[in-house]
Amino acid sequence: MNKKVVLEDLGLKDYKDTWDYQESLFKNILDLKIKNRREGTQLETPNYFLFVEHPHVYTLGKSGDMANLLLNENQLQEKGATFYKINRGGDITYHGPGQIVGYPILDLDNFFTDIHKYLRFLEEVIILTLADYGLKAERSEGETGVWLDVGTPFARKICAMGVRASRWVTMHGFALNVNADLGYFDNIVPCGIKGKAVTSLNVELGKTEISMREVQEKILTHFKERFEVEFIKQKARV
């Protein structure tokens, strides 16, 4: 079981280019697993963790409702945003500058074959990261992601999640609002959940800007502890 995870920071990267890159890594792992099964080999399968920021983009999961996008094509252009239907779970979400997006592409055969446990662990990584900033973040029953003030009229989402898995290989992941422009969320029904607010770490802490690098390091620390991995930093190849 390979617990090493190749870490790449892609910086600010177009959503479609990043999606294509994810798909190529995902496919390579699947191909290795299929080869091992068919040929009786025991080739080690790699794991990856991609950090990225995207230009303004809205993405709709395979079970999502187009009605949750409140902009037409011309309005998207006016906002400088793009839109993609994609193959993860979940409904609609927004990605943009000031948001830390993490894509773990893991072979769960190297860890544990339980997708619900995987999602709970991902949520816990973000919950622990926010606790480092003095925020009490929680899961919200029946709603994915990480929230603040769950069960109150002031409940608000700070981190969205949506994953895809095949043969226990994962892709897509989480999007944590750190210094995000929350106005872009007004153009969607976030994750298809009406009447719930969205927030960002800088807003919660009453600061203009929070160090993205610092938040990334905290995420990696908690991910490393929770998943018991060893990160191998690699220069971005795309």
Side-chain angles (χ1 to χ4, degrees), residues 34-46:
I34 291 168
K35 179 181 175 68
N36 283 341
R37 192 183 75 243
R38 287 179 177 171
E39 301 180 12
T41 52
Q42 294 184 329
L43 298 172
E44 189 174 79
T45 52

Side-chain angles (χ1 to χ4, degrees), residues 77-136:
Q77 290 180 357
E78 289 170 9
K79 294 282 184 184
T82 52
F83 170 77
Y84 294 101
K85 286 185 177 180
I86 61 174
N87 58 357
R88 60 159 170 79
D91 205 283
I92 197 163
T93 196
Y94 158 79
H95 299 309
Q99 188 184 69
I100 292 176
V101 179
Y103 296 131
I105 306 167
L106 309 179
D107 180 3
L108 291 183
D109 272 321
N110 289 323
F111 300 92
F112 47 77
T113 49
D114 185 332
I115 194 65
H116 294 290
K117 181 177 179 180
Y118 171 68
L119 283 166
R120 299 297 81 77
F121 273 25
L122 266 191
E123 289 167 346
E124 192 167 342
V125 166
I126 301 302
I127 288 168
L128 291 169
T129 297
L130 294 171
D132 289 339
Y133 289 93
L135 296 180
K136 186 179 184 295

